[in-house]
Amino acid sequence: DAGVTQSPTHLIKTRGQQVTLRCSPKSGHDTVSWYQQALGQGPQFIFQYYEEEERQRGNFPDRFSGHQFPNYSSELNVNALLLGDSALYLCASSLGRRRLTNYGYTFGSGTRLTVV
Amino acid sequence: DAKTTQPNSMESNEEEPVHLPCNHSTISGTDYIHWYRQLPSQGPEYVIHGLTSNVNNRMASLAIAEDRKSSTLILHRATLRDAAVYYCIPPGGSGGGADGLTFGKGTHLIIQP
């Protein structure tokens, strides 16, 4: 049974460009969250999608946006890339929202984004 | 936001027990305390969670203080594969609300053979 799948695994973009990262949740999960992890830091919550809508958002600017599709997969879009956006982007899936279920999350291995 | 305090790093010998402490400076509602770990080059992995009493699973045990202001993750017999960064996730969620997990810098656990 496949866990959370993220693509691509690595990506290099130029400052000012736009990027789209993709995530397929674990089978049976319906909720997707995105996290940004800078080198040497813990992951930081970006936002969560449930029933194709953004339900919760962390302290990230509007340049970060997302989408969830009817099959529960999700995309993270970042516009006008800055050098500081270089990080590991992690996708986590769950069955239901944490506030409602307190279930654990299953994380993917992430996409390493480098902005030059 | 809820905050946690964990040692930056800890070292233990293989096959010995390891106690990883965490202080939670704020407590809110009845949300669970979660622990995750992150092995090198991987995403975080769920370890255990609990509310008010001690919890056990195949990976670890979790001891929660009566006032819920601290918890301790216990690995009963550490192996080299347990070398990872361990994150204590406090109740109350992250800045965006209760659904997001709040990760600090965690504790880097080093296991010596």
Side-chain angles (χ1 to χ4, degrees):
Chain A
D1 180 24
V4 175
T5 304
Q6 291 189 243
S7 64
T9 55
H10 295 83
L11 198 56
I12 300 175
K13 288 287 189 178
T14 303
R15 190 172 48 183
Q17 283 188 316
Q18 178 263 344
V19 68
T20 297
L21 309 181
R22 295 177 176 80
C23 172
S24 292
K26 180 179 178 179
S27 177
H29 285 182
D30 59 4
T31 303
V32 173
S33 304
W34 287 91
Y35 290 79
Q36 180 194 67
Q37 185 173 25
L39 206 59
Q41 305 293 319
Q44 300 299 306
F45 175 69
I46 303 175
F47 44 52
Q48 182 184 80
Y49 277 83
Y50 174 71
E51 294 184 335
E52 301 181 47
E53 289 189 17
E54 183 182 301
R55 299 292 179 171
Q56 296 284 350
R57 190 178 182 93
N59 297 322
F60 279 81
D62 292 344
R63 297 187 299 110
F64 290 77
S65 63
H67 189 78
Q68 185 179 35
F69 300 93
N71 66 354
Y72 308 121
S73 67
S74 177
E75 288 182 349
L76 165 65
N77 300 294
V78 186
N79 294 323
L81 285 167
L82 304 173
L83 296 179
D85 294 331
S86 295
L88 180 68
Y89 288 85
L90 295 159
C91 172
S93 73
S94 62
L95 177 59
R97 299 167 62 187
R98 175 178 178 234
R99 178 156 47 93
L100 303 178
T101 66
N102 277 302
Y103 289 158
Y105 287 77
T106 300
F107 281 80
S109 295
T111 294
R112 173 70 63 187
L113 172 65
T114 301
V115 183
V116 297
Chain B
D1 294 353
K3 302 287 185 188
T4 60
T5 303
Q6 295 181 257
N8 289 332
S9 66
M10 291 183 66
E11 199 167 313
S12 180
N13 295 320
E14 199 175 7
E15 302 205 357
E16 289 187 355
V18 179
H19 289 65
L20 297 164
C22 177
N23 290 321
H24 329 124
S25 62
T26 60
I27 298 293
S28 63
T30 58
D31 202 0
Y32 284 69
I33 298 163
H34 287 71
W35 281 78
Y36 282 74
R37 71 180 185 181
Q38 189 169 20
L39 279 66
S41 302
Q42 295 188 26
E45 172 188 32
Y46 166 81
V47 177
I48 199 167
H49 74 288
L51 186 60
T52 57
S53 58
N54 296 345
V55 183
N56 300 294
N57 66 20
R58 64 175 180 81
M59 288 181 70
S61 295
L62 179 60
I64 301 172
E66 201 169 319
D67 62 6
R68 300 208 327 132
K69 291 188 176 180
S70 66
S71 62
T72 301
L73 180 69
I74 302 165
L75 307 178
H76 295 286
R77 288 184 65 203
T79 70
L80 295 177
R81 289 177 295 179
D82 291 322
V85 179
Y86 285 78
Y87 297 100
C88 165
I89 312 292
S94 69
D99 290 323
L101 300 176
T102 301
F103 290 87
K105 290 190 175 182
T107 296
H108 184 198
L109 177 63
I110 300 165
I111 305 295
Q112 297 290 353

